[in-house]
Amino acid sequence: MQANGAGGGQQPPPQGPAGPELGCLSAQNGEASSGSAAGEQLAHANGLLPSASAANSSGSSPGGLSVNNGVPAAGGPGSAAAELGGSGGGLKKKKRLSQSDEDVIRLIGQHLHGLGLNQTVDLLMQESGCRLEHPSATKFRNHVMEGEWDKAENDLNELKPLVHSPHAIVWLTASQTILSMLDRMKFLLLQQKYLEYLEDGKVLEALQVLRCELTPLKYNTERIHVLSGYLMCSHAEDLRAKAEWEGKGTASRSKLLDKLQTYLPPSVMLPPRRLQNLLRQAVELQRDRCLYHNTKLDNNLDSVSLLIDHVCSRKQFPCYTQQILTEHCNEVWFCKFSNDGTKLATGSKDTTVIIWQVDPDTHQLKLLKTLEGHAYGVSYIAWSPDDNYLVACGPDDCSELWLWNVQTGELRTKMSQSHEDSLTSVAWNPDGKRFVTGGQRGQFYQCDLDGNLLDSWEGVRVQCLWCLSDGKTVLASDTHQRIRGYNFEDLTDRNIVQEDHPIMSFTISKNGRLALLNVATQGVHLWDLQDRVLVRKYQGVTQGFYTIHSCFGGHNEDFIASGSEDHKVYIWHKRSELPIAELTGHTRTVNCVSWNPQIPSMMASASDDGTVRLWGPAPFIDNQDIEGKAISAYTSRWL
């Protein structure tokens, strides 16, 4: 290392109340002290400058002032609240930096250092009077990157008092102790040392490290056993592959340093890439708060502008009619996209199921197959997990169930256990080999693909069904205004959700945690199944005693959509009770909505008006308009 600019004497920097790890140092406005010995050089890295106070006291003129961020050092009439600066040698007062200012300077310095702008960092630290990290941390960093493991291990002893400081104690978690933390750091150092010896073919030296340095630590003995197995590696490539290690050099040592930094308080050494992480968190928070954000989160900061706030336009959201399907000739009671998002199935009072193909480029739908013969109409549809089969159910007075092969359009099974049955709902087991079905007359069956009865549950008046991902539990809403969990293996059941009004339908989120209920006269309710609590009641929708099916949707299922008896489709952000969009176009009750699970910008709705509407972004999105809104949000603060 070399000195950058003129420094003062070699005494250590004065320590404030926070101890030696604080991030600011005394500086003398970049001027060399006249009392310095000739030829004396100061070693520093990225602005780690010692104080000039000692030099000033030994021979500098009374006008030379020792300052700390512009505040003169105490002691003597010559220490006026000013420093040399400006043209003509005039006096200029310098404001003391706040703690947040110091933090920002250090963050900027770390980022610039990562870009290789080291001279700029040195100048920034010198002019601000701050330091990027503690000198002991800098020495430790250099020794790690140079592979001087013995020196790096000795550096840990110098860092130990800094970890003992009050600032560091607060930083430690409850499960950590200073001793355990230092042991972990030492273990990581010795592990790297061991691996580098092995890669260099120095097996005896590696064995010595394993036996005499790593093992006596009595830390992570399981890992030590794994490390000992690497002695059997025949060549360096085999070692790197088995250890999942980059090999000796800058890459592995930088990764090691990143791990080591996590054990040191930030006042001593900043966490790796701290500024980038803060910016990424800020971008993610803005996206989370954006009502219309409906695309995959990109963690790469290069994909966004940091100069403006994140804004998504409503024009990018599925609020606009893209296509109206009019092939049904009566009320459309149900619609559901396939799991892979390539097809849409719609069921109608006209006794047919129509399967539509989604064009991957234009997102337009075209008729693929018409499945006929459902004498009572089709009020519910369920796709098998692999989308090869489709089950269709009818209304309350229907005792039959149809299982169709989607690929061939052939009817595989038409099931009816009794003419007195009412099979109005169905749900597939995750294995795709079984399904459950039931209705309000007390039937609750588990069947195979041929319609053979595997199990049954007596006396359960089923309104809606759902199979959980565990393959054992079936959720069923019944006429007692509740949802219960039924286990067909051990024949146990338990209450999960209890409402005060009839549950007309429900659906479950992909992770199985949340349930979305359409409750008679109440609207749409969100329940947490794990905690068994009502999370939110969504406002706006008109829900009487018609069966209306709502859905989760959008990227990461951040949105909720539901039909309504007032002819509208309502969309909410999952965290907000007020709708963010009310979609008009249908002329009668909207019975069902389905969000494409693979295309977040596509949604379908089925209505008693006999149509199915496809919703998507505005046909022609004006990028300038979107950018303009973002810019106006950014610039309005300055107007």
Side-chain angles (χ1 to χ4, degrees):
M1 296 181 293
Q2 61 178 2
N4 185 13
Q10 289 189 339
Q11 280 200 352
Q15 298 177 7
E21 71 274 22
L22 283 181
C24 269
L25 295 175
S26 295
Q28 194 180 351
N29 201 29
E31 302 269 341
S33 171
S34 58
S36 302
E40 183 178 7
Q41 300 233 344
L42 294 176
H44 77 280
N46 295 325
L48 300 181
L49 299 175
S51 169
S53 58
N56 283 337
S57 65
S58 63
S60 61
S61 64
L65 301 177
S66 173
V67 298
N68 182 6
N69 289 335
V71 178
S79 299
E83 68 174 2
L84 294 177
S87 59
L91 292 177
K92 178 172 138 183
K93 186 177 290 187
K94 187 175 181 181
K95 181 181 177 182
R96 181 184 180 91
L97 296 177
S98 66
Q99 183 61 53
S100 62
D101 288 335
E102 293 178 15
D103 292 344
V104 170
I105 289 172
R106 293 182 66 204
L107 291 173
I108 293 172
Q110 184 194 46
H111 184 67
L112 294 175
H113 176 71
L115 297 176
L117 303 177
N118 294 326
Q119 291 185 357
T120 304
V121 177
D122 289 342
L123 183 60
L124 173 64
M125 297 301 149
Q126 179 179 338
E127 187 172 357
S128 65
C130 295
R131 65 185 176 199
L132 191 59
E133 57 191 15
H134 194 279
S136 297
T138 301
K139 186 167 61 171
F140 178 63
R141 175 194 299 278
N142 293 336
H143 288 155
V144 169
M145 293 305 296
E146 292 164 8
E148 299 183 15
W149 306 117
D150 293 339
K151 292 182 180 179
E153 193 174 337
N154 291 333
D155 294 336
L156 289 179
N157 296 325
E158 293 186 24
L159 292 171
K160 188 175 181 179
L162 303 179
V163 179
H164 273 288
S165 72
H167 288 74
I169 296 299
V170 172
W171 171 80
L172 287 174
T173 63
S175 62
Q176 289 177 315
T177 65
I178 295 169
L179 183 60
S180 68
M181 190 190 69
L182 292 175
D183 283 344
R184 293 178 191 181
M185 295 179 71
K186 188 174 181 180
F187 185 90
L188 290 172
L189 285 174
L190 294 175
Q191 177 179 254
Q192 179 79 10
K193 178 181 178 181
Y194 169 78
L195 292 173
E196 290 194 5
Y197 273 147
L198 280 182
E199 187 183 45
D200 290 340
K202 300 178 180 179
V203 179
L204 292 179
E205 289 86 342
L207 191 59
Q208 182 75 6
V209 171
L210 187 67
R211 288 178 175 175
C212 303
E213 298 184 67
L214 276 168
T215 303
L217 286 178
K218 296 181 180 179
Y219 173 78
N220 202 347
T221 53
E222 183 178 342
R223 177 61 180 167
I224 290 177
H225 290 315
V226 174
L227 291 174
S228 63
Y230 298 152
L231 287 167
M232 307 303 295
C233 293
S234 56
H235 47 78
E237 289 79 7
D238 187 28
L239 171 66
R240 289 192 290 268
K242 289 184 177 178
E244 297 179 351
W245 179 60
E246 294 81 357
K248 179 179 178 180
T250 303
S252 64
R253 291 173 183 175
S254 295
K255 187 175 287 188
L256 168 65
L257 196 59
D258 286 349
K259 293 179 182 178
L260 293 168
Q261 282 180 269
T262 61
Y263 294 104
L264 292 173
S267 55
V268 175
M269 181 181 281
L270 287 172
R273 295 171 292 279
R274 181 60 179 159
L275 181 59
Q276 293 97 313
N277 288 335
L278 286 174
L279 292 174
R280 190 174 293 109
Q281 291 171 20
V283 170
E284 290 176 359
L285 181 61
Q286 287 191 20
R287 285 171 170 169
D288 287 343
R289 292 180 175 177
C290 178
L291 288 178
Y292 296 109
H293 187 78
N294 191 29
T295 57
K296 185 177 180 180
L297 295 177
D298 189 346
N299 292 327
N300 186 0
L301 291 177
D302 293 336
S303 65
V304 299
S305 172
L306 299 178
L307 304 181
I308 58 176
D309 290 340
H310 173 83
V311 176
C312 285
S313 169
R314 189 178 188 271
K315 291 184 177 181
Q316 300 167 283
F317 204 69
C319 296
Y320 302 86
T321 300
Q322 304 278 25
Q323 190 177 359
I324 303 176
L325 309 178
T326 59
E327 276 71 8
H328 285 293
C329 56
N330 210 325
E331 298 173 358
V332 186
W333 289 339
F334 200 83
C335 62
K336 184 71 173 178
F337 280 103
S338 59
N339 298 295
D340 63 8
T342 63
K343 298 177 183 68
L344 174 71
T346 56
S348 170
K349 187 178 180 180
D350 67 6
T351 73
T352 67
V353 171
I354 298 180
I355 299 177
W356 310 83
Q357 184 73 47
V358 179
D359 188 295
D361 299 320
T362 65
H363 293 177
Q364 293 288 298
L365 272 64
K366 65 178 181 180
L367 194 151
L368 185 63
K369 289 182 177 69
T370 300
L371 311 177
E372 300 176 337
H374 310 85
Y376 296 88
V378 179
S379 62
Y380 197 87
I381 296 170
W383 291 87
S384 64
D386 59 7
D387 293 327
N388 287 331
Y389 295 99
L390 182 147
V391 176
C393 298
D396 289 342
D397 51 354
C398 179
S399 62
E400 298 174 328
L401 175 147
W402 293 263
L403 175 61
W404 295 92
N405 185 315
V406 177
Q407 305 299 323
T408 64
E410 296 176 352
L411 180 65
R412 170 161 178 170
T413 303
K414 182 178 179 181
M415 189 191 94
S416 178
Q417 293 295 324
S418 168
H419 292 294
E420 296 180 357
D421 284 354
S422 172
L423 304 181
T424 59
S425 184
V426 66
W428 284 88
N429 189 285
D431 64 11
K433 300 176 181 178
R434 297 168 287 164
F435 60 86
V436 291
T437 183
Q440 291 193 13
R441 296 180 184 174
Q443 298 79 36
F444 189 7
Y445 305 130
Q446 181 169 227
C447 307
D448 63 17
L449 297 184
D450 295 320
N452 298 316
L453 186 64
L454 302 178
D455 297 289
S456 65
W457 211 292
E458 298 296 331
V460 181
R461 299 182 182 273
V462 173
Q463 178 72 24
C464 192
L465 292 166
W466 195 275
C467 291
L468 294 185
S469 58
D470 63 6
K472 302 176 182 178
T473 307
V474 178
L475 301 184
S477 61
D478 57 31
T479 53
H480 296 284
Q481 305 167 3
R482 65 189 180 182
I483 296 177
R484 292 179 65 80
Y486 297 86
N487 190 314
F488 274 94
E489 291 189 0
D490 56 19
L491 299 180
T492 59
D493 61 321
R494 58 193 176 97
N495 206 44
I496 296 178
V497 170
Q498 182 67 59
E499 283 278 2
D500 296 326
H501 298 81
I503 300 171
M504 307 308 295
S505 68
F506 73 92
T507 186
I508 307 297
S509 61
K510 288 181 180 178
N511 60 12
R513 178 72 184 263
L514 300 174
L516 191 62
L517 283 59
N518 284 74
V519 183
T521 72
Q522 302 301 300
V524 181
H525 292 180
L526 183 69
W527 280 79
D528 186 315
L529 297 180
Q530 182 173 311
D531 296 335
R532 301 186 189 181
V533 295
L534 177 62
V535 177
R536 199 159 285 113
K537 296 180 179 181
Y538 297 102
Q539 301 178 21
V541 69
T542 302
Q543 169 79 64
F545 287 90
Y546 287 115
T547 298
I548 294 177
H549 300 273
S550 56
C551 68
F552 294 96
H555 179 70
N556 203 33
E557 292 193 328
D558 284 333
F559 303 97
I560 286 167
S562 177
S564 175
E565 293 180 19
D566 62 4
H567 313 165
K568 296 179 182 179
V569 174
Y570 287 83
I571 302 177
W572 301 266
H573 195 286
K574 194 162 55 179
R575 295 192 301 269
S576 176
E577 294 182 356
L578 297 176
I580 62 173
E582 298 178 17
L583 312 186
T584 59
H586 286 294
T587 57
R588 293 183 64 187
T589 296
V590 180
N591 299 307
C592 183
V593 291
S594 179
W595 213 304
N596 192 306
Q598 304 301 326
I599 306 175
S601 60
M602 177 183 284
M603 186 176 65
S605 59
S607 170
D608 280 348
D609 64 12
T611 68
V612 176
R613 284 184 176 251
L614 274 297
W615 306 88
F620 301 101
I621 298 178
D622 187 348
N623 290 328
Q624 287 186 337
D625 178 62
I626 297 170
E627 293 174 2
K629 288 186 178 181
I631 292 172
S632 66
Y634 175 72
T635 57
S636 62
R637 293 174 292 176
W638 307 101
L639 299 178

